[in-house]
Amino acid sequence: MSLTNRILLAMLAGVVLGSLLNVLLQGSLAPEGLRELLNDYLVAKNGLFDVVGRIFVSLLKLLVVPLVLVSLICGASSLGDSARMGPIALKTMALYLATTAIAVSIALFFASLVNPGAHVELMSAANFHPPAPPPLADVLVDMVPSNPVRAMAEGKMLQIIVFALLVGYAIAHSGEQGRRIGSFFRDMEAVVMKMVEILMELAPYGVFALLAKLFATMGLGAIVNLAAYFFTVLGVLVFHALVVYGLLFRGFTGFSPAMLFRKMRPVWAFAFSTASSGATLPITLNTVERRMGVHNSVAGFSIPLGATINMDGTAIMQGVATVFIAQVYGVELTMAALMTVVVTATLASIGTAAVPGVGLITLSLVLQQAGLPVEGIALIIGVDRLLDMVRTAVNVTGDVAVSVIVANSERQFDESVYLSSESLQADDLEQDRAPTI
Ligand code: ASP
């Protein structure tokens, strides 16, 4: 069975087993002793699922900094002349911002049609205190690292991008020495990519453990009360990923998006089970470079940048949530307020960290700007984790689609790799690793 299928099967098994455990643990079907045993040894903190899941996420995260650094250094140095960097950066940024603004607008439109908050009672327990957002000047200054080692130790993605671009540019302009160090980084990239592929073989186990734990502990009852909100967000997320991106992709590249979505399946599985674009980054980058044929001069820049600032799925949740909360509190949203929501949700998605649940925190910025009570966030916390998993998958879809579109327009794209239908085979890895005597 191909690795992709094994990952998808493990996802399904995790969801089914987790949901069964949930029923068993919540209800009185099993004797108390058995429930305690299952909970302690499998589900609870330090249980089997928790330990395997945490190890898996750490393994993913450990690759993020080395991979982004070497991939971007290779990409920037191979571009050689800096004149090419400008258009790549501009197109990438423009597409990231435009698609996010489209995403919020669609979310506002559908939410205004569905009226998800129309019949929801305001709970008096609503209670949420958001942290204060940092001033914009700090955000800009914070992009430039004063100490690259600290930037890497703290995993500050934008700082690492700035540093790597600078190193890559300098390598391209350092003559013979530059060529030597450049070839070192290319070798490093091959080695780190190989680490990603080795790790992917563990994915079925990791994905299974993460999902089994999550579904065993998740209170799905909350969905019933918030069904209209939940399914509006879900519907817009799926629509945006498949229809909006599908059309944009075909329009810009002329290729069918079917292959894109097919090759995205393992990336979706990682995004869904970790709910973190950041932890999924190594898989996204590997897929885009190795299986979709995007040259690392584009992928090394657009994928880490996208994981950090391009969050269409998050913006969609924030759009629907704003309409929902306005309706629950009986506040009319004017056209001006809706425009404000489009702008602030686009900016908030830039400021959302690529880890689970942060979209809900930056939602407070959007609500504040729209003049809505921030405590309203407490109303939707109950169903947020599941939506977080789906919106993270949408977030990475945007990164990948934009990366291929930009690479194609800049001729940094190998069409034959994109069109080759070879699936992700565990056997390939086995062969690669076999000793060559
Ligand atoms: N979990 C999302 C991501 O990593 C961010 C969010 O919306 O909370 O992309």
Side-chain angles (χ1 to χ4, degrees):
M1 199 188 287
S2 77
L3 184 56
T4 306
N5 286 343
R6 282 199 289 137
I7 295 174
L8 297 178
L9 204 68
M11 252 176 98
L12 192 72
V15 172
V16 172
L17 183 78
S19 308
L20 285 177
L21 278 172
N22 191 296
V23 175
L24 210 66
L25 295 177
Q26 312 283 322
S28 50
L29 282 172
E32 168 118 27
L34 179 64
R35 272 186 278 153
E36 248 170 45
L37 211 69
L38 284 175
N39 188 46
D40 290 353
Y41 285 100
L42 287 182
V43 180
K45 188 161 170 55
N46 297 334
L48 184 67
F49 295 156
D50 179 60
V51 170
V52 175
R54 280 195 290 154
I55 291 178
F56 177 63
V57 172
S58 295
L59 282 170
L60 281 172
K61 286 193 187 156
L62 88 90
L63 290 175
V64 171
V65 173
L67 187 59
V68 170
L69 188 74
V70 293
S71 183
L72 191 49
I73 290 178
C74 289
S77 64
S78 68
L79 271 185
D81 64 302
S82 56
R84 304 266 290 283
M85 261 182 207
I88 291 178
L90 264 178
K91 282 183 197 174
T92 309
M93 284 299 293
L95 277 171
Y96 280 158
L97 289 177
T99 47
T100 309
I102 294 173
V104 200
S105 309
I106 297 175
L108 290 175
F109 175 74
F110 277 110
S112 307
L113 280 185
V114 177
N115 290 328
H119 303 292
V120 178
E121 291 291 308
L122 186 56
M123 287 169 271
S124 54
N127 193 3
F128 183 83
H129 303 290
L136 185 65
D138 285 2
V139 176
L140 285 177
V141 173
D142 204 40
M143 280 174 60
V144 183
S146 59
N147 178 342
V149 177
R150 184 168 352 113
M152 285 182 242
E154 292 174 357
K156 298 226 162 140
M157 208 47 68
L158 293 180
Q159 296 194 350
I160 299 172
I161 290 176
V162 170
F163 177 66
L165 281 176
L166 207 58
V167 176
Y169 180 78
I171 286 177
H173 291 83
S174 299
E176 182 48 36
Q177 281 113 328
R179 265 189 291 285
R180 277 203 302 271
I181 194 89
S183 85
F184 164 78
F185 277 111
R186 271 190 296 285
D187 290 350
M188 274 302 283
E189 205 219 357
V191 172
V192 184
M193 278 295 186
K194 182 54 75 185
M195 288 168 76
V196 177
E197 283 166 18
I198 293 167
L199 193 75
M200 278 179 93
E201 278 196 87
L202 298 178
Y205 308 100
V207 164
F208 170 78
L210 285 172
L211 290 178
K213 177 185 157 73
L214 212 75
F215 279 79
T217 44
M218 197 153 48
L220 288 173
I223 294 181
V224 180
N225 300 329
L226 291 169
Y229 166 75
F230 182 84
F231 287 107
T232 310
V233 178
L234 202 62
V236 182
L237 285 174
V238 174
F239 178 82
H240 187 71
L242 300 185
V243 180
V244 176
Y245 268 115
L247 289 175
L248 278 179
F249 188 77
R250 184 184 275 281
F252 276 111
T253 64
F255 296 120
S256 152
M259 187 61 93
L260 179 90
F261 295 142
R262 189 170 151 192
K263 292 189 172 176
M264 278 296 292
R265 284 179 307 174
V267 185
W268 281 335
F270 276 81
F272 184 79
S273 46
T274 60
S276 163
S277 315
T280 311
L281 190 53
I283 312 304
T284 322
L285 201 50
N286 179 281
T287 306
V288 168
E289 285 189 16
R290 298 289 160 109
R291 302 186 62 225
M292 294 196 185
V294 175
H295 189 260
N296 60 8
S297 57
V298 174
F301 172 72
S302 59
I303 296 296
L305 184 72
T308 318
I309 69 160
N310 180 49
M311 306 213 172
D312 293 9
T314 304
I316 287 171
M317 176 280 283
Q318 295 182 339
V320 179
T322 308
V323 175
F324 173 79
I325 289 168
Q327 288 174 347
V328 174
Y329 281 87
V331 180
E332 188 77 33
L333 283 173
T334 59
M335 200 58 202
L338 290 175
M339 298 301 286
T340 315
V341 174
V342 173
V343 176
T344 41
T346 306
L347 294 178
S349 94
I350 296 177
T352 303
V355 289
V358 182
L360 208 60
I361 294 171
T362 50
L363 172 60
S364 59
L365 289 177
V366 182
L367 294 177
Q368 257 160 13
Q369 291 301 317
L372 291 167
V374 176
E375 308 79 64
I377 292 177
L379 298 174
I380 52 173
I381 284 183
V383 292
D384 195 65
R385 178 64 198 215
L386 204 54
L387 289 176
D388 194 7
M389 296 157 81
V390 185
R391 72 175 178 254
T392 305
V394 176
N395 289 345
V396 294
T397 308
D399 306 341
V400 172
V402 168
S403 187
V404 178
I405 290 173
V406 173
N408 183 51
S409 78
E410 288 291 319
R411 298 184 201 295
Q412 301 289 318
F413 181 58
D414 188 339
E415 200 180 308
S416 62
V417 176
Y418 176 76
L419 294 174
S420 89
S421 59
E422 139 255 340
S423 62
L424 192 58
Q425 297 283 349
D427 295 346
D428 296 348
L429 305 177
E430 296 300 331
Q431 279 163 13
D432 281 0
R433 251 180 295 135
T436 46
I437 308 170

